[in-house]
Amino acid sequence: MNVISVLQRIAATATTVDGKAVAPVVWDCNCLEEVCGACTMVINGHVRQACTALVDRLLEDNPKEIELRPMTKFPVVRDLYVDRSRLFRSLQRLKAWVPVDGYYDMGPGPKQSRAEQETAYPLSECMSCGCCLEACPQYTKVELTRNEGESEVDFAARKHDAYDRAFVGAAGISQAMLFNTNPTGKTNAGERLDALMAEGGIQDCGNAQNCVAVCPKEIPLTTSIARAGRQTTLHAIKKWFDR
Ligand code: SF4
Ligand code: SF4
Ligand code: FES
């Protein structure tokens, strides 16, 4: 039994301790096999996936209770459900994708060597769960509230602006490195490096290495951060000579 199955049982008979009916507890989940990244919460003080947090193991640590809290670095929507949109915005900010110019057949892309594939594959396992951001001392919560009369579009634009100025975090940095080493993704490597050098970029990383310690996918985040540090330094020098 995992934490999600416990939550499902609790939600199915949502009552207070004295038996009054209440609204069921709210949480986020989807795949139930540590792939989608949606079910991240702080369980007995450790950030992790609820779907792979096994109840019998948790009770070995503390036989009396299991404590569940929402992540602290993201706005709480309700109960254990948080808004991770800042994480997804960081992928937009860093252009963490391979550009395609349409959906027509462009033929085979450039080949990747076995060694390149082996370096890239672990980075591609990121499921945007947010554990690395929750654990990072440099990643502080950004929470805005909608002003009276403010349209949804204006509120989204204000949020994106605030997110774009705050620390981007290890997950985004690592995805920028994944796409900067992809033979097609490389074509806009410079734009990713510009974004990593802007406000809230890699310079805000304090090298505490908490991120790598908590990543459920064991992604070599500090290696990505070191690589991003080298690439941005070379990019800055190149830009200076090109002036
Ligand atoms: S190494 Fe950087 S990104 Fe990772 S936890 Fe430390 S400050 Fe955060
Ligand atoms: S790098 Fe790891 S901890 Fe961070 S979002 Fe991706 S999978 Fe989660
Ligand atoms: S439900 Fe998808 S990672 Fe837990």
Side-chain angles (χ1 to χ4, degrees), residues 87 125-132 171 214-217 219 221:
L87 199 170
E125 287 189 287
C126 176
M127 54 179 173
S128 300
C129 68
C131 289
C132 56
V214 298
C215 175
K217 295 293 183 190
I219 296 174
L221 293 169

Side-chain angles (χ1 to χ4, degrees), residues 5 11 26 30 48 56 61 64 114 138 152 156 194 214:
S5 39
V26 173
N30 189 1
R48 57 182 299 184
D56 51 359
D61 299 341
K64 292 223 167 85
R114 173 60 70 98
Q138 300 297 108
E152 215 170 296
D194 285 337
V214 298

Side-chain angles (χ1 to χ4, degrees), residues 37-80:
C39 68
T40 316
M41 42 187 96
V42 181
I43 303 172
N44 284 355
H46 300 286
V47 67
R48 57 182 299 184
Q49 305 314 117
C51 65
T52 48
L54 301 179
V55 169
D56 51 359
R57 301 259 172 84
L58 293 168
L59 293 176
E60 276 169 22
D61 299 341
N62 183 356
K64 292 223 167 85
E65 62 177 16
I66 296 171
E67 187 195 62
L68 306 180
R69 289 176 184 267
M71 282 196 280
T72 60
K73 303 289 177 78
F74 299 96
V76 174
V77 180
R78 207 180 120 181
D79 301 335
L80 296 161

